[in-house]
Amino acid sequence: MWKFIVRRILIMIPQIIVLSLLIFLMAKAMPGDPFTGLIDPSVDPNTIAELRENAGLNDPWYQQYARWATNAIQGDFGQSFRHKIPVTDLIDQKLWNTVWLSLLSLIFTYLMAIPLGITSGRFNDSIADRLISGYTYVGFAAPTFIVGLLVLYLFGFQLGWFPTGGSVSPGATPGTFSYVIDKFNHLFLPSLSIAVLTTVSTVQYLRSEIIDTKQKDFILTVRSKGASESRVYNRHILRNSVLPIAAFFGYEITGLIGGTIFIENIYSYPGMGQLFFQSINLRDYSVVTALVLLFGVASIIGTLLSDIILSIVDPRIRIK
């Protein structure tokens, strides 16, 4: 088991190096540079050229990459050209908002997906199964921003049940119970919007697992021994079908990252997704490269978690 984990971690290292190199080269390929449009046109061009020289923008790309990668390993992503503060501090201000949003989305996802998947798999070809399958087909086809706008319009503007933007109401006192409730109210609609879409793949997978397990020989054997139907489902079918779903936990992280970028902008939620979108528009390269790298590393770690969970659930996977 430990050999498998160490081997997977070692595989991660070249993946992260290649990822960081691609991110850096793509950022360099973007039009303009951090000083484009920032300096007053009346400023002497020689001054602009001197600033670029001092920032190391005229150095060969591999020297710039080596300098950027070395600093990134030490947690130094440079300074935001727009916000005039270190990128690490800027990300730290937004990080926990995105963490809470992702965590609540994950909870909503499993709260919705497991009952729906079990119902759909146990009563396959029933009306309930067709309704749930219809929901998953629509969910697969629906773009994130459409779902986010519909949920915002219905529960935020029409019914007025939840706030329509921000992460907390002005004047809320941190550390109080009312502050926690207010924070949850602001998180509810964005996390629900993400969960509505991330649920569908888990529902389909769980449904397929249950239907497949129902037809296996050991289930027929259990039934032939006279076990009750509830015992067959709860002790044998469900246990064997739900375990592989745990492996989806890591892959859900990748889906959540993509979802937060759109949803945080729709709900004006001050998280890393909103910061990422704003930084692209402002051409704040140091922030963009840092965020893309963090998102990429989070996806790779999510894949690692899924592989480890899968190897625990099914030991055949870690056998070479």
Side-chain angles (χ1 to χ4, degrees), residues 22-50:
L22 290 175
I23 291 170
F24 181 81
L25 292 178
M26 284 192 289
K28 293 296 293 179
M30 291 173 69
D33 60 37
F35 296 107
T36 302
L38 179 64
I39 301 173
D40 193 300
S42 61
V43 175
D44 184 3
N46 293 329
T47 304
I48 300 175
E50 185 179 352

Side-chain angles (χ1 to χ4, degrees), residues 2-316:
W2 285 109
K3 286 175 64 178
F4 173 79
I5 295 175
V6 170
R7 190 166 67 239
R8 283 292 290 111
I9 292 174
L10 290 176
I11 292 173
M12 280 177 54
I13 296 174
Q15 288 178 333
I16 293 175
I17 292 174
V18 171
L19 174 69
S20 65
L21 182 60
L22 290 175
I23 291 170
F24 181 81
L25 292 178
M26 284 192 289
K28 293 296 293 179
M30 291 173 69
D33 60 37
F35 296 107
T36 302
L38 179 64
I39 301 173
D40 193 300
S42 61
V43 175
D44 184 3
N46 293 329
T47 304
I48 300 175
E50 185 179 352
L51 286 172
R52 289 193 172 109
E53 181 67 26
N54 293 337
L57 298 177
N58 295 330
D59 295 341
W61 69 268
Y62 52 85
Q63 290 184 8
Q64 295 184 48
Y65 170 73
R67 188 165 53 240
W68 174 76
T70 304
N71 293 331
I73 292 172
Q74 299 171 2
D76 180 9
F77 292 100
Q79 180 151 330
S80 167
F81 292 97
R82 295 289 176 175
H83 298 276
K84 306 297 183 187
I85 61 174
V87 174
T88 307
D89 293 345
L90 188 61
I91 292 176
D92 188 53
Q93 294 174 6
K94 312 286 185 180
L95 176 65
W96 284 107
N97 280 337
T98 298
V99 169
W100 289 122
L101 175 61
S102 302
L103 187 62
L104 192 59
S105 301
L106 206 57
I107 293 172
F108 281 162
T109 296
Y110 283 106
L111 284 178
M112 295 164 62
I114 291 178
L116 290 177
I118 290 174
T119 303
S120 185
R122 180 168 182 173
F123 305 105
N124 59 303
D125 295 331
S126 65
I127 295 177
D129 175 41
R130 288 170 186 166
L131 288 175
I132 294 171
S133 296
Y135 156 66
T136 59
Y137 294 148
V138 173
F140 275 124
T144 306
F145 67 93
I146 293 291
V147 175
L149 289 173
L150 284 174
V151 173
L152 177 65
Y153 175 76
L154 180 61
F155 296 102
F157 290 108
Q158 290 299 314
L159 299 176
W161 289 352
F162 297 95
T164 56
S167 63
V168 69
S169 299
T173 306
T176 61
F177 182 71
S178 60
Y179 179 86
V180 176
I181 296 298
D182 187 61
K183 191 89 174 171
F184 177 79
N185 284 335
H186 282 80
L187 277 169
F188 189 87
L189 288 186
S191 53
L192 179 66
S193 302
I194 296 174
V196 165
L197 293 184
T198 53
T199 296
V200 295
S201 56
T202 308
V203 171
Q204 281 285 358
Y205 190 78
L206 183 56
R207 176 183 183 274
S208 301
E209 281 291 321
I210 291 176
I211 293 174
D212 184 56
T213 306
K214 282 196 301 186
Q215 300 169 355
K216 289 187 174 175
D217 292 340
F218 75 94
I219 296 297
L220 299 177
T221 304
V222 172
R223 282 201 172 106
S224 67
K225 290 181 178 179
S228 65
E229 198 63 16
S230 61
R231 182 182 176 86
V232 171
Y233 267 97
N234 297 331
R235 297 286 298 274
H236 299 282
I237 295 177
L238 199 55
R239 181 180 294 179
N240 286 281
S241 302
V242 169
L243 282 178
I245 297 299
F248 263 57
F249 176 78
Y251 295 119
E252 297 286 2
I253 295 176
T254 306
L256 289 175
I257 290 172
T260 55
I261 294 173
F262 292 103
I263 294 300
E264 286 183 4
N265 281 282
I266 290 172
Y267 287 89
S268 300
Y269 186 81
M272 290 171 62
Q274 189 189 48
L275 176 64
F276 178 67
F277 196 77
Q278 291 173 346
S279 299
I280 290 176
N281 289 331
L282 295 172
R283 294 184 177 176
D284 200 344
Y285 299 129
S286 52
V287 179
V288 172
T289 51
L291 287 174
V292 174
L293 181 63
L294 290 177
F295 289 155
V297 171
S299 299
I300 292 174
I301 292 175
T303 306
L304 171 68
L305 287 175
S306 290
D307 288 349
I308 292 174
I309 295 171
L310 268 175
S311 69
I312 295 172
V313 173
D314 189 352
R316 292 173 298 178

